[in-house]
Amino acid sequence: MMRRSHDQLLLPVNPLFMWFSLVMALLINLLPLGRLPAMPDMVALALVFWNVHQSRRVGVGVAFVFGVMMDVHQGALLGQHALAYTLLAYFAISMHRRLPWFGVMEQALHVAPLFVVAHVVVLVTRLITGDVFPGWTVLLAPMGEAALWPVASLLLLAPQRRAPDPDENRPL
């Protein structure tokens, strides 16, 4: 099976950019916007993106650490986001070879169930511990994350894109 001809070769990812994007996603989640149940989880989006594109550098351990940081920030049951993020990372890594073969919109459809599972894990954990049901608007957050997948792909792959080279001697 060969890649499509319109796919572009990417430069290697800069590790500083990768970690910077994860920290920026965490900082966006830390903004004091109140407890909006339909707010997309930017850390989950960034973790899935880097788990798919750099599965050897960002793995389940990184997802666990970011999950604990989110639990501490939200004052939630310690481990609920860590569990959701590790499951998210595991499933994203399991599809990291298959997902890049699809277009960006098809990729969004493939990662949407991952985001739904992560939010259901957090919701079930909260309900088991006696928290109140936040309402059905909580189901809008995974759809928002899936809708942001093309934007995240565009922004996070932009530094790796190689400028078209008009030199005839170098076909790559």
Side-chain angles (χ1 to χ4, degrees), residues 51-71:
N51 283 149
V52 167
H53 291 282
Q54 294 293 320
S55 60
R56 292 184 184 219
R57 290 187 177 166
V58 177
V60 175
V62 172
F64 179 80
V65 169
F66 275 93
V68 169
M69 285 191 278
M70 283 303 299
D71 288 334

Side-chain angles (χ1 to χ4, degrees), residues 49 53 69 71 93 101 110 115 127 150:
F49 180 84
H53 291 282
M69 285 191 278
D71 288 334
I93 290 171
W101 288 93
H110 279 81
F115 295 131
L127 292 177

Side-chain angles (χ1 to χ4, degrees), residues 34-39 70-71 74-81 83-84 118-135 137-139 141:
R35 295 197 183 258
L36 301 172
M39 183 72 176
M70 283 303 299
D71 288 334
Q74 291 186 354
L77 178 68
L78 194 61
Q80 76 179 16
H81 283 93
L83 175 63
H119 283 278
V120 166
V121 165
V122 170
L123 179 64
V124 167
T125 307
R126 287 175 59 183
L127 292 177
I128 288 173
T129 59
D131 202 358
V132 296
F133 183 67
T137 58
V138 75
L139 297 176

Side-chain angles (χ1 to χ4, degrees), residues 18-169:
M18 181 180 59
W19 292 107
F20 174 75
S21 66
L22 285 168
V23 169
M24 288 306 294
L26 179 67
L27 292 177
I28 290 172
N29 273 9
L30 298 182
L31 287 174
L33 300 174
R35 295 197 183 258
L36 301 172
M39 183 72 176
D41 190 351
M42 295 298 162
V43 174
L45 180 65
L47 280 171
V48 169
F49 180 84
W50 289 119
N51 283 149
V52 167
H53 291 282
Q54 294 293 320
S55 60
R56 292 184 184 219
R57 290 187 177 166
V58 177
V60 175
V62 172
F64 179 80
V65 169
F66 275 93
V68 169
M69 285 191 278
M70 283 303 299
D71 288 334
V72 169
H73 165 68
Q74 291 186 354
L77 178 68
L78 194 61
Q80 76 179 16
H81 283 93
L83 175 63
Y85 288 173
T86 53
L87 288 173
L88 197 62
Y90 174 77
F91 290 123
I93 290 171
S94 70
M95 65 177 12
H96 87 277
R97 289 179 164 266
R98 178 179 60 231
L99 201 63
W101 288 93
F102 296 103
V104 179
M105 298 309 280
E106 290 88 5
Q107 288 179 9
L109 292 174
H110 279 81
V111 297
L114 299 180
F115 295 131
V116 170
V117 166
H119 283 278
V120 166
V121 165
V122 170
L123 179 64
V124 167
T125 307
R126 287 175 59 183
L127 292 177
I128 288 173
T129 59
D131 202 358
V132 296
F133 183 67
W136 292 107
T137 58
V138 75
L139 297 176
L140 295 176
M143 297 305 114
E145 292 160 10
L148 287 174
W149 182 263
V151 176
S153 294
L154 180 72
L155 291 176
L156 297 177
L157 286 179
Q160 298 176 46
R161 298 217 187 271
R162 187 184 302 257
D165 191 6
D167 188 4
E168 296 176 8
N169 297 325

